């Protein structure tokens, strides 16, 4: 028995397929979801989402959103999610530098919040990309 996983961002459907397990970062800690999991609605924390399908694993960087489990279906409505293999390390590094620069300057509160969000996203992308490449070697 498998789970149907669907990950949707405001831009697109990032992932839709049957999987054997999902490990997700939630506000209450990291949870592993297996078939026949109890129904649940929880908030996603920024972190690494692990999708297991048979003997393969796939990693995604996710910045937040909501996760719902019902009847062996996992629906994730994410603010932002990207597969590890799709992360552009150079772009993420540049985004981190830009955010650091804005945060070190006298920025408005709004500019500071945007820079902090971009910093979290860039650090998360770099962490997931680095971890994925290490395992792929």
């Amino acid at each position: 028995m498998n789970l149907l996983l669907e990950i949707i961002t405001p831009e697109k459907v990032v992932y839709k397929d049957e999987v054997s397990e999902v490990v997700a970062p939630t506000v209450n800690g990291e949870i592993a979801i297996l078939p026949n999991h109890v129904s649940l609605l929880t908030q996603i924390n920024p972190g690494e989402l692990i999708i297991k399908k048979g003997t393969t694993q796939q990693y995604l960087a996710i910045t937040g959103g909501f996760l719902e489990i019902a009847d062996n279906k996992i629906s994730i409505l994410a603010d932002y999610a990207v597969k590890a293999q799709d992360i552009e390390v150079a772009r993420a590094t540049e985004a981190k530098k830009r955010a650091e620069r804005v945060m070190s300057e006298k920025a408005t509160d709004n500019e500071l919040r945007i820079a902090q969000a971009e910093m979290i996203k860039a650090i998360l992308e770099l962490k997931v990309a680095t971890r994925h490449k290490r395992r792929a070697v």
Side-chain angles (χ1 to χ4, degrees):
M1 178 177 280
N2 284 328
L3 298 155
L4 177 61
L5 172 64
E6 188 171 37
I7 302 170
I8 302 169
T9 66
E11 291 82 32
K12 65 182 178 178
V13 174
V14 176
Y15 189 95
K16 185 174 183 176
D17 201 357
E18 286 194 358
V19 300
S20 50
E21 181 181 354
V22 174
V23 179
T26 72
V27 292
N28 296 317
E30 193 171 79
I31 63 168
I33 305 161
L34 295 166
N36 298 317
H37 195 286
V38 66
S39 294
L40 175 71
L41 177 62
T42 188
Q43 191 174 349
I44 296 282
N45 262 1
E48 181 179 54
L49 184 79
I50 303 169
I51 300 170
K52 298 179 182 180
K53 186 174 180 176
T55 58
T56 62
Q57 293 187 18
Q58 192 167 12
Y59 306 91
L60 284 86
I62 190 165
T63 61
F66 292 92
L67 178 148
E68 180 181 27
I69 307 166
D71 301 323
N72 286 320
K73 181 178 180 191
I74 305 168
S75 299
I76 298 176
L77 301 177
D79 300 331
Y80 173 81
V82 62
K83 295 175 185 174
Q85 66 267 26
D86 295 338
I87 296 172
E88 297 175 32
V89 174
R91 190 191 56 73
T93 302
E94 184 56 36
K96 181 177 179 247
K97 288 177 185 173
R98 259 192 328 272
E100 287 171 341
R101 194 170 44 252
V102 170
M103 290 169 63
S104 69
E105 298 170 354
K106 293 191 185 262
T108 65
D109 287 345
N110 191 44
E111 290 171 336
L112 190 57
R113 278 192 293 278
I114 292 169
Q116 288 170 336
E118 288 298 316
M119 174 72 85
I120 290 168
K121 181 176 153 184
I123 290 171
L124 181 58
E125 283 185 2
L126 292 169
K127 176 185 163 194
V128 171
T130 302
R131 185 172 174 165
H132 173 69
K133 286 181 179 167
R134 208 176 325 128
R135 289 188 179 176
V137 173

